[in-house]
Amino acid sequence: MKWKKQLLDLTPYQPGKSIEDVKKQYGLEKIVKLASNENPFGCSEEAAKALQKSSGIFAKYPDGYAGELRSILASHLGTEPGQLIFGNGSDEVIQIISRALLGPGRNTIMAAPTFPQYKHNAVIEGAEVKEIPLLDGAHDLEGMLEAIDENTSVVWLCSPNNPTGIYINESKLVSFLEKVPEDILVVLDEAYCEYAVADDYYHAVSLLEKFSNLIVLRTFSKIYGLASLRIGYGIAGEDVVRALEPAREPFNVNTFAQMAAAEAVKDQKYVEECRNRNREGLEQFYSFCDQAGLSYYPSQGNFILIDFKRDANEVFQYLLEKGYIVRSGAGLGCPQSIRVTIGSKEQNEEIMELIGQFLEETAAAL
């Protein structure tokens, strides 16, 4: 087979360990998964009710235009329906963008570490990848600007950034966008934007009026609690969306995802409730880490990256054997840290107690 060489050298995406796998491996009954930044409180009741009414539609293709969801979401965002492009998760929108704009002879710029699918898709398309190291957990925007050349096609910004949780404030973002050439697409990935509470957090949709080379990505997998249904979207000028649409697979968003997402958008009271509970959980972790002498980045997402100043896999394994699945930073470019999804108050208390035990046991062993 004449496989692409870059594909043979590329490691497939590695999802976190599943609950069932951990149960079987360690003989545990109770497993708490805080590894994939899912919403611990689930989805809106209204979204769940929509799925209960979905029987009898299995034989029909989905609405390829996502008409009802498109209308509801455009109204919520204050955009035109034609400014939206939907994907099987925002992951697919990343793939669509890469497919449309990247290839041999072109390059793309991103932070490091950041969400790995930017690089993954660029490598598949045969593009050169320019990774600019973070500065104290934040995007080095000046460094990214300096890396732009005549072959640059796409610049990726993740705000809040995964895995650090650091956001780009409004003044820095606007200044950056003003300096990027108009023929380069800037992708602003806002998978966690609904969790952000910072006073100087920008309003991304309003930026689209000024910057025609900007696309904003969002997802229903995080605060909306619909990760298993795989639905995300991009917001951009209609010209950008029209150019991307031919790279989108037909019927790529299933009927059930469209139904649930439409109801989830309407229930902004639930979104606000989840945002508030997440902020309370972050404060729990901040207080614990300060008392335990652990470094961390203040997060605007629903996760926290904690630096243990030791091999992250040791911490990961200790917690795993106790029934708590987190994400080791070893695979995220942060080999001495773990990323923990903010859970319920009780889940947070339980995992902090286990981390405390780990610190005590390792200190005693020295």
Side-chain angles (χ1 to χ4, degrees):
M1 296 293 182
K2 298 178 182 179
W3 304 111
K4 290 181 177 180
K5 182 182 182 300
Q6 63 267 29
L7 198 63
L8 299 176
D9 296 335
L10 197 59
T11 302
Y13 178 79
Q14 300 295 319
K17 286 185 174 290
S18 73
I19 289 174
E20 289 306 315
D21 285 346
V22 176
K23 278 185 177 181
K24 291 177 183 177
Q25 185 173 0
Y26 298 103
L28 299 169
E29 289 298 321
K30 178 183 176 181
I31 304 294
V32 176
K33 185 184 177 190
L34 298 174
S36 300
N37 302 340
E38 298 146 329
N39 187 338
F41 311 113
C43 68
S44 159
E45 289 185 12
E46 298 306 312
K49 288 177 184 176
L51 293 176
Q52 293 169 7
K53 301 174 184 176
S54 63
S55 61
I57 60 174
F58 302 103
K60 302 294 184 182
Y61 282 110
D63 174 0
Y65 187 66
E68 182 178 0
L69 172 60
R70 183 181 296 272
S71 176
I72 290 169
L73 187 57
S75 177
H76 169 67
L77 296 170
T79 66
E80 295 299 322
Q83 289 183 256
L84 301 174
I85 182 169
F86 292 94
N88 183 37
S90 56
D91 288 328
E92 191 191 20
V93 186
I94 293 168
Q95 185 182 58
I96 290 168
I97 292 167
S98 301
R99 186 179 183 186
L101 285 163
L102 297 178
R106 299 187 181 185
N107 69 60
T108 182
I109 298 168
M110 63 198 67
T114 192
F115 187 51
Q117 289 306 101
Y118 313 146
K119 180 178 181 179
H120 186 94
N121 282 284
V123 170
I124 290 174
E125 298 301 332
E128 178 190 359
V129 176
K130 295 185 177 183
E131 295 181 282
I132 310 303
L134 297 174
L135 295 177
D136 196 23
H139 284 64
D140 177 5
L141 297 178
E142 289 303 317
M144 297 178 83
L145 286 171
E146 290 174 5
I148 291 174
D149 63 26
E150 67 276 7
N151 296 319
T152 302
S153 293
V154 184
V155 177
W156 305 87
L157 303 176
C158 187
S159 178
N161 186 48
N162 177 9
T164 61
I166 302 292
Y167 71 106
I168 305 169
N169 70 34
E170 183 174 16
S171 63
K172 289 181 179 179
L173 178 60
V174 171
S175 176
F176 177 82
L177 292 171
E178 288 174 339
K179 297 171 185 174
V180 176
E182 293 182 1
D183 63 344
I184 295 173
L185 185 68
V186 178
V187 184
L188 180 58
D189 187 347
E190 286 197 301
Y192 302 95
C193 67
E194 292 90 354
Y195 286 109
V197 298
D199 292 337
D200 57 352
Y201 197 85
Y202 49 85
H203 184 258
V205 174
S206 66
L207 295 176
L208 295 171
E209 299 173 7
K210 182 177 180 181
F211 301 103
S212 61
N213 60 333
L214 175 67
I215 184 169
V216 178
L217 306 188
R218 292 184 180 174
T219 182
F220 286 94
S221 295
K222 304 306 178 184
I223 205 166
Y224 286 105
L226 298 176
S228 69
L229 294 178
R230 309 306 299 127
I231 180 166
Y233 60 98
I235 321 162
E238 294 188 61
D239 289 346
V240 171
V241 172
R242 275 195 296 270
L244 290 173
E245 276 288 348
R248 180 178 65 85
E249 296 294 332
F251 310 115
N252 62 327
V253 178
N254 72 77
T255 298
F256 311 101
Q258 292 184 37
M259 293 172 63
E263 294 304 316
V265 171
K266 297 175 187 177
D267 193 356
Q268 289 300 307
K269 181 178 179 182
Y270 181 73
V271 172
E272 181 180 2
E273 177 186 338
C274 290
R275 178 167 50 247
N276 292 339
R277 294 176 75 176
N278 179 73
R279 187 52 43 182
E280 291 170 359
L282 277 168
E283 293 298 334
Q284 281 181 274
F285 274 98
Y286 294 164
S287 178
F288 168 77
C289 289
D290 289 341
Q291 292 177 13
L294 294 171
S295 300
Y296 59 90
Y297 290 116
S299 176
Q300 290 292 318
N302 69 332
F303 56 88
I304 184 170
L305 188 70
I306 305 173
D307 186 357
F308 282 80
K309 300 291 192 297
R310 64 189 307 128
D311 185 353
N313 286 331
E314 291 183 33
V315 190
F316 167 81
Q317 189 63 33
Y318 181 91
L319 295 174
L320 186 67
E321 293 177 11
K322 306 291 185 182
Y324 284 76
I325 310 172
V326 298
R327 196 66 185 262
S328 169
L332 302 174
C334 307
Q336 293 190 320
S337 301
I338 62 167
R339 191 191 67 192
V340 184
T341 303
I342 306 305
S344 66
K345 183 176 185 294
E346 294 74 20
Q347 290 170 338
N348 297 337
E349 289 173 345
E350 290 166 359
I351 197 168
M352 287 187 290
E353 182 177 351
L354 288 175
I355 291 173
Q357 291 176 15
F358 171 82
L359 294 174
E360 290 178 4
E361 291 176 18
T362 52
L366 294 177

